[in-house]
Amino acid sequence: MPTTTEKPIRPGVPDRLLLRLLRSGLSPLLNGTLTGLRYRPARAPEPIAFPVRYARSGDRILVVAGHPEGKRWWRHFRHAAPAEVLVGNRWVATEGSLLTGPARAAAAEAYRRRFPRAGLPAGTPVLAFPAPPAALLRGTALARLWFSVVTVAEFLGFSIPAVTGALTADSPAVVSLPALLLAGAAEGAALGAGQALVLRHALPALSFRRWVAATAAAASFAYLVGLAPSTWAAALTTWPPSLLWPAAGVLGIALLLSIGFAQWLVLRRHLGRSARWIATTAAAWLLGLAVFLGVTMPLWQPGQSLTTTVLIGVFGGLLMAATTSSVTGLAVAHLPGLR
């Protein structure tokens, strides 16, 4: 039985906020790096709970007590003791134990694979808590989480090119174009990160880096296509209409399909019959842009203050993000294998 009799320290405000986040629908924002641990020290009136970084190894959650000399909680598990861990957003009963010998060495290696930069000096306590994996997200739960996370990610990402465009509005194309292409890549990275955080809870094998890189590259390409008419307007005036309009149509289609196609190249590794994602994403962006322009253009008027102009753009950007994420959320939840 555990022999710890010291009075537990009440978790601070940051720990309590993290625990609330872990139990909320936004827990995927932590990307499977944190979980909650709860146990009752001997003779304590109530259990204490706090967030811990963890790695999965089969049906076990591995936790490392960094700087153990300044911590007491890990000593509670020198002998196997009851505990609870957060799986998904629910507390699950388990039993924690401090590993030793070959078992500790194997667990430490598994932990290093998950966190390559983690320093594990000899003697660092490594603990194991058997727990089932969280259920994979499917259907309505997947669509709901997608909407909440991806709306925030796209809205934050959209602010980057919006601010960049305002700052470079009077700059020559040699300055504004590269700046906006980089800003577009940043927007795509933010969007891709939000989407990948959710998708990893439906498709655990999905590569976070590949999804983000594909989305960022496609977004930058889309900005290049979208900025081409204004950047090279003088040269385009020399083109005959018989060539100009077909070229504009091809570029417009390429712009709408770019992100969906780049993401599908990653998605097809994990799901069959997923090509519909390309058309769905194109439709979502077309609708989102229509909402943005339909809301902001009537509200933007000559002579308005910069604050008013920015607030209108922010409002339109939020509506655009919500529109695209709702459409793509419904679509991802109906892909074969994710229903």
Side-chain angles (χ1 to χ4, degrees):
M1 295 293 292
T3 58
T4 301
T5 58
E6 299 177 61
K7 184 178 180 180
I9 299 174
R10 181 177 176 80
V13 172
D15 284 351
R16 293 200 296 272
L17 291 176
L18 278 175
L19 286 173
R20 288 188 178 184
L21 179 59
L22 285 166
R23 298 204 65 186
S24 74
L26 297 178
S27 58
L29 291 174
L30 300 175
N31 197 24
T33 59
L34 293 178
T35 188
L37 174 62
R38 185 164 70 182
Y39 75 101
R40 176 173 291 179
R43 301 180 185 177
E46 59 184 23
I48 61 171
F50 50 92
V52 291
R53 190 165 73 163
Y54 77 100
R56 269 278 181 185
S57 179
D59 62 353
R60 299 187 305 169
I61 287 176
L62 304 177
V63 178
V64 168
H67 305 289
E69 64 281 353
K71 299 175 181 177
R72 300 195 302 264
W73 66 266
W74 63 269
R75 296 183 175 91
H76 181 83
F77 300 100
R78 286 178 293 189
H79 304 282
E84 293 175 285
V85 293
L86 278 174
V87 176
N89 57 359
R90 295 185 300 173
W91 289 106
V92 174
T94 183
E95 184 178 75
S97 57
L98 182 65
L99 301 177
T100 59
R104 183 212 175 270
E109 182 59 30
Y111 192 89
R112 287 192 190 94
R113 286 196 296 269
R114 178 65 177 87
F115 303 106
R117 298 182 181 179
L120 293 178
T124 302
V126 180
L127 302 94
F129 299 86
L136 297 178
L137 285 176
R138 293 291 184 267
T140 302
L142 175 58
R144 188 183 301 117
L145 184 60
W146 179 282
F147 175 78
S148 60
V149 174
V150 176
T151 296
V152 173
E154 168 55 20
F155 175 66
L156 294 177
F158 177 74
S159 65
I160 301 173
V163 171
T164 303
L167 294 175
T168 60
D170 298 325
S171 301
V174 70
V175 174
S176 61
L177 181 61
L180 286 170
L181 293 183
L182 288 174
E187 178 186 0
L191 171 64
Q195 292 176 329
L197 285 174
V198 178
L199 279 175
R200 287 285 296 273
H201 289 262
L203 299 169
L206 182 87
S207 172
F208 183 90
R209 291 182 180 180
R210 286 180 179 174
W211 186 272
V212 172
T215 309
S220 185
F221 171 77
Y223 268 82
L224 177 61
V225 173
L227 292 169
S230 58
T231 303
W232 294 286
L236 293 175
T237 57
T238 63
W239 288 25
S242 59
L243 182 61
L244 183 62
W245 290 112
V250 170
L251 290 177
I253 294 173
L255 186 153
L256 289 173
L257 298 181
S258 56
I259 291 180
F261 178 76
Q263 291 179 337
W264 172 73
L265 294 177
V266 180
L267 191 62
R268 65 176 182 171
R269 298 169 180 261
H270 308 278
L271 291 177
R273 296 182 295 135
S274 56
R276 69 180 73 173
W277 180 251
I278 303 173
T280 300
T281 302
W285 280 108
L286 186 62
L287 182 60
L289 289 171
V291 169
F292 177 79
L293 295 175
V295 170
T296 58
M297 295 307 290
L299 296 177
W300 277 330
Q301 298 296 328
Q304 288 177 332
S305 66
L306 178 61
T307 300
T308 301
T309 302
V310 170
L311 289 176
I312 293 172
V314 167
F315 179 63
L318 180 59
L319 291 180
M320 180 186 72
T323 301
T324 57
S325 63
S326 62
V327 174
T328 53
L330 290 173
V332 76
H334 284 84
L335 286 173
L338 297 181
R339 297 173 182 171

